[in-house]
Amino acid sequence: MRKLSFVALAAAAAITLAGCAGGGTKTPAADDGPADIRVWLVGTDTPQDARDYLKTTFEKENPGSTLTIEEQSWTGLVDKLTTSLSGSDSPDVVEVGNTQAAAFTSSGAFLDLTDQYKALGGDDLLPGFVEAGSYDGKFYAAPLYSGSRLVFYKKDALAASGLTVPTTLAQYISNAEKLAADNPGKSGLWWPGQDWYNALPFIWENGGEIATFKDGTWASQFSSAGSIKGLEQVQELMTKASTAPKDGNETNPQVGFCEGTTLQLSAPSWVKWSILAAADAETPGCPDQESNLGVYALPGADGGAGQVFAGGSNIAVSAKSAHPGLAVKALKIILSDGFQTIYGKNGLVPAKVSLASTLGTDEVAKAISSAAGNARLTPASPKWADVEASGALTDFFVQIAQGGDIPSLAKALDAKIDGILNG
Amino acid sequence: MSTLVNRRARFTPYMLLIPATAVLLVVIGWPLIQLFIISFQEFGRAQVFGAPAPFIGFENYTKVLGDPAFWNVMVRSILFCLVNVVVTMVGGTLIALLMTKVNRFFRLLLSVGLLLAWAMPALTATIVWGWMFDTSYGVVNYALTNFFGLDFHAHSWLINPLSFFFVATVIVVWGAIPFVAFTVYAGLTQIPDEVMEAAQLDGARSTQRFRLIVFPYLKSIFLVVTILQVIWDLRVFTQIYALQGIGGIREQTSTLGVYIYQVALGSGEYGIGGAIAVITVFFMMAISLYYVRQSLKEEQL
């Protein structure tokens, strides 16, 4: 009797399982009839206005078809895209980080858009991002937007310490340390250990590189003399000027700023809107700080704008999209002047050079354009995305923030990155 | 007539097993075969999108077994698993014993609490625990600093690997204890009261009663639960992965499940990830087989 009930249970379980498994199948529809186009946007960078504009314009131009925007998170994006773009239920249009694009353009995940290049904007498109979205002479992923990294600061704190906006990297470092010394328990520069993007300018400004390509092999350069010098400055700032968690990540920088424990922070330009978000928003900000919020571009070692990391996104059509015709139409709307102007108005650099003026003329806009003029990218290897996803860089900077020995850590990191880039 | 009924009855259980077996074969068997094949191939991101995958023999396996990082992960996982299984089993059993002693109201209260802990998805639980142990704003640091006078201001719980695994153990054990407690409690209710009473009259102390009566009665339950815990704790993924996103150093805190994910999906090395997964499967099967054989032997005695 006992045996029989167990068997019955197993049969019941099997039927339930079978029921679950049957749900997900979908028959591919014929191309370009009325259909639903799924667009994956990543993070909250794209403003709601732009999302609404995309949906209404697309549905007006393509009667009967609908467009759904699905928001993805930046964490784990590369694996998520790998699994979903190769599956039968692929989204049609996807945003991807500019440093991640090469992993997909090189593996055939994206639809070849070479014949659409002119129609999408041609030579007006941001050149560095077109390069990031191209592989083997073909164009796969269009620029979406670019966001420079800026330094946000509290005007009253800077004034109270008798400091002015720094004009050289050395002054930037001494300013941050003075602020921290004058305000015990607060961050003269808020810098959580996992935030490696902000460390890159220090490496570049001291003559270092991330990795160089010679005779068909990549050589990671974190242990080169220039890089070490930059990393020493990074460690000095992380340990002396920052009270941020040594192993924390850079999400929600507005919390400390609004609370008053962060006096300066370096972040993408759109963080301004996180700081100034309404106090009762889902992720609240502190709009009352608007007049106290100052912004400047990171200065270089010899004055002028520093070489910052050019963050941003590309956008592409999945090679497995069931409706490539409609997907390309949606892509055209995304790259239209109307859509891109919304980015400009919200402090993101539009995908087209000719729309740079939409950024306006305020302090942020000036800082953005001077930062963008000197922005640089990560190594142009299809495997660079794997370096980022492996977590080696965040591990490295967490250990730097803890006060670890730079030369030996840098050497170990170089070996790891060489292994991935040349693997 | 009766032989026909007998024969039919004899086959009925197997007939009823067919759907379950078929589903298992499709849902678990087929991916397992795929995994096995991939582990012998050069399989990267390009192969996911349709490039041909050449067979490379045991190259993935030699790479994995020759990598000190893999052995570090393996040893770390086994230690983590041992600690967690012991703490979970002891804690779960103690709670089960407590449930037999308290009155109905408290038993109900305990059951509801256990059920809620059990019903909480691992990811949600980890994020909430992560907030409690947060460096800047966590309630644990706040309480230790303000109520106990210790200097835990801005203390990072995850940056030191040992401390990281302490937090991970708290989360994993917290989530696993309800299962052990309920199962052991169910077993405890099956022990005849007369036997316990007789032992008590003979002057057996409570520890003796547990060791000599309760434990032998529940031996098979303990065995099954322990094997399940070993397997679950060895392949723990969600809690470690989510905690690594909150803080800590990945290289020093990865366990087998997370390591497979990092190699296969994170770095796009599906072939090598597959090899690690196959090694893990065989390792777990070896543990399970050992225990099953032990229990069969004892049953024959």
Side-chain angles (χ1 to χ4, degrees):
Chain A
M1 186 60 210
R2 201 202 271 162
K3 211 178 251 170
L4 201 77
S5 66
F6 173 75
V7 170
L9 195 73
I15 290 159
T16 327
L17 278 174
C20 290
T25 50
K26 194 185 114 183
T27 41
D31 188 28
D32 292 344
D36 182 50
I37 293 293
R38 288 160 64 215
V39 178
W40 277 20
L41 295 178
V42 191
T44 51
D45 319 9
T46 301
Q48 190 57 44
D49 287 355
R51 293 167 196 240
D52 295 342
Y53 179 91
L54 172 62
K55 189 170 165 63
T56 46
T57 314
F58 178 84
E59 287 173 3
K60 202 170 70 194
E61 285 177 9
N62 303 283
S65 292
T66 51
L67 184 143
T68 315
I69 294 174
E70 295 168 7
E71 188 173 307
Q72 305 298 319
S73 104
W74 282 112
T75 334
L77 181 67
V78 173
D79 7 313
K80 182 116 198 239
L81 283 176
T82 305
T83 43
S84 52
L85 289 176
S86 60
S88 56
D89 197 27
S90 164
D92 300 284
V93 179
V94 292
E95 174 182 350
V96 59
N98 57 342
T99 61
Q100 303 166 333
F104 301 100
T105 57
S106 64
S107 56
F110 292 156
L111 193 71
D112 184 359
L113 297 172
T114 311
D115 54 340
Q116 300 287 341
Y117 178 66
K118 277 244 153 59
L120 289 168
D123 295 340
D124 194 19
L125 298 171
L126 292 178
F129 284 73
V130 171
E131 202 187 310
S134 301
Y135 183 77
D136 219 4
K138 284 180 182 153
F139 179 61
Y140 291 99
L144 181 59
Y145 63 80
S146 167
S148 314
R149 283 183 165 251
L150 305 174
V151 183
F152 296 93
Y153 68 100
K154 286 197 182 261
K155 289 179 181 168
D156 56 357
L158 212 64
S161 291
L163 301 168
T164 52
V165 168
T167 52
T168 63
L169 198 62
Q171 196 191 349
Y172 174 69
I173 297 168
S174 63
N175 268 11
E177 285 174 17
K178 175 114 179 32
L179 279 173
D182 288 353
N183 302 280
K186 297 184 178 180
S187 289
L189 175 68
W190 186 77
W191 196 337
Q194 289 192 27
D195 185 6
W196 59 274
Y197 293 109
N198 275 319
L200 300 180
F202 291 87
I203 292 173
W204 287 326
E205 284 296 325
N206 283 289
E209 290 288 338
I210 301 173
T212 51
F213 188 64
K214 211 181 153 195
D215 301 331
T217 33
W218 284 96
S220 179
Q221 298 288 332
F222 280 90
S223 57
S224 73
S227 301
I228 296 277
K229 220 170 134 200
L231 291 169
E232 280 166 357
Q233 293 178 335
V234 170
Q235 190 171 49
E236 192 182 331
L237 278 171
M238 282 175 152
T239 50
K240 286 191 188 162
S242 173
T243 61
K246 301 291 176 240
D247 57 347
N249 61 33
E250 66 271 27
T251 51
N252 295 318
Q254 77 281 3
V255 174
F257 193 90
C258 287
E259 187 198 33
T261 52
T262 298
L263 306 176
Q264 288 197 100
L265 66 96
S266 172
S269 50
W270 49 263
V271 162
K272 182 189 172 184
W273 304 106
S274 311
I275 293 174
L276 298 180
D280 58 351
E282 198 174 324
T283 45
C286 43
D288 55 312
Q289 286 283 316
E290 184 159 15
S291 58
N292 193 25
L293 173 67
V295 61
Y296 58 86
L298 184 79
D302 309 316
Q307 305 173 57
V308 291
F309 167 67
S313 288
N314 280 62
I315 188 141
V317 174
S318 166
K320 292 226 173 171
S321 166
H323 316 283
L326 281 170
V328 170
K329 279 184 190 167
L331 193 66
K332 281 181 181 156
I333 298 171
I334 290 171
L335 285 161
S336 69
D337 289 5
F339 184 89
Q340 288 290 331
T341 302
I342 304 174
Y343 275 143
K345 285 191 175 145
N346 283 283
L348 292 154
V349 181
K352 289 175 173 173
V353 180
S354 61
L355 294 175
S357 60
T358 56
L359 282 163
T361 51
D362 65 351
E363 214 179 5
V364 176
K366 272 187 242 158
I368 289 173
S369 52
S370 66
N374 231 346
R376 294 187 56 175
L377 288 167
T378 50
S381 156
K383 297 235 169 190
W384 178 257
D386 298 333
V387 174
E388 288 186 19
S390 74
L393 287 164
T394 50
D395 275 5
F396 174 70
F397 283 103
V398 166
Q399 284 166 307
I400 295 273
Q402 273 181 289
D405 178 52
I406 295 174
S408 61
L409 286 172
K411 214 168 223 159
L413 177 68
D414 278 347
K416 220 174 286 167
I417 293 180
D418 284 347
I420 298 177
L421 289 183
N422 299 316
Chain B
M1 185 66 198
S2 71
T3 53
L4 193 69
V5 171
N6 269 344
R7 188 175 296 162
R8 199 177 281 164
R10 193 142 40 96
F11 283 113
T12 315
Y14 298 102
M15 296 294 285
L16 286 167
L17 268 175
I18 286 175
T21 317
V23 168
L24 276 180
L25 278 178
V26 172
V27 178
I28 294 176
W30 178 238
L32 209 61
I33 293 168
Q34 288 273 13
L35 176 78
F36 200 70
I37 296 172
I38 282 177
S39 74
F40 289 99
Q41 283 176 326
E42 186 188 322
F43 207 98
R45 194 167 281 117
Q47 278 73 30
V48 176
F49 291 105
F55 280 94
I56 50 171
F58 281 93
E59 204 177 295
N60 288 332
Y61 287 90
T62 51
K63 252 190 213 161
V64 169
L65 296 174
D67 185 358
F70 168 74
W71 292 106
N72 285 340
V73 168
M74 194 79 175
V75 170
R76 198 180 296 138
S77 300
I78 294 171
L79 289 177
F80 179 74
C81 167
L82 282 179
V83 171
N84 275 273
V85 169
V86 170
V87 176
T88 311
M89 291 306 295
V90 170
T93 310
L94 287 177
I95 290 182
L97 287 170
L98 181 69
M99 281 168 77
T100 59
K101 299 282 185 280
V102 293
N103 65 28
R104 221 172 134 190
F105 172 75
F106 281 106
R107 187 157 59 234
L108 198 71
L109 200 69
L110 258 175
S111 307
V112 170
L114 288 171
L115 265 178
L116 285 178
W118 200 14
M120 176 91 83
L123 184 61
T124 320
T126 310
I127 289 171
V128 174
W129 279 103
W131 284 338
M132 290 169 60
F133 282 99
D134 188 81
T135 308
S136 310
Y137 307 103
V139 67
V140 175
N141 281 349
Y142 180 84
L144 286 174
T145 308
N146 290 302
F147 302 145
F148 295 92
L150 303 165
D151 182 25
F152 273 84
H153 177 70
H155 174 76
S156 173
W157 283 92
L158 302 177
I159 207 161
N160 177 309
L162 271 180
S163 174
F164 179 99
F165 282 112
F166 166 74
V167 177
T169 302
V170 169
I171 303 172
V172 170
V173 168
W174 176 82
I177 273 187
F179 174 72
V180 177
F182 279 128
T183 316
V184 174
Y185 175 70
L188 286 173
T189 57
Q190 299 302 307
I191 298 173
D193 289 338
E194 309 87 68
V195 182
M196 295 297 278
E197 237 177 87
Q200 212 165 354
L201 287 176
D202 289 341
R205 279 177 287 115
S206 59
T207 45
Q208 285 175 324
R209 267 177 281 147
F210 182 80
R211 192 162 55 86
L212 299 170
I213 301 172
V214 176
F215 189 75
Y217 257 108
L218 300 187
K219 204 164 184 189
S220 54
I221 289 182
F222 277 123
L223 189 80
V224 170
V225 175
T226 308
I227 294 177
L228 283 175
Q229 290 298 333
V230 167
I231 291 174
W232 286 339
D233 288 343
L234 208 53
R235 56 160 212 204
V236 59
F237 176 80
T238 316
Q239 290 91 337
I240 304 287
Y241 181 77
L243 269 188
Q244 285 181 338
I246 298 169
I249 298 167
R250 283 184 177 78
E251 201 191 358
Q252 298 172 359
T253 54
S254 287
T255 53
L256 270 173
V258 180
Y259 187 63
I260 292 170
Y261 178 85
Q262 278 164 356
V263 171
L265 287 123
S267 305
E269 301 271 14
Y270 297 88
I272 295 178
I276 304 171
V278 169
I279 294 170
T280 311
V281 166
F282 278 110
F283 183 64
M284 289 187 190
M285 266 166 54
I287 296 176
S288 314
L289 276 179
Y290 174 79
Y291 274 104
V292 170
R293 265 189 55 191
Q294 287 296 105
S295 61
L296 283 180
K297 258 189 215 160
E298 274 163 22
E299 260 174 40
Q300 279 163 0
L301 291 174

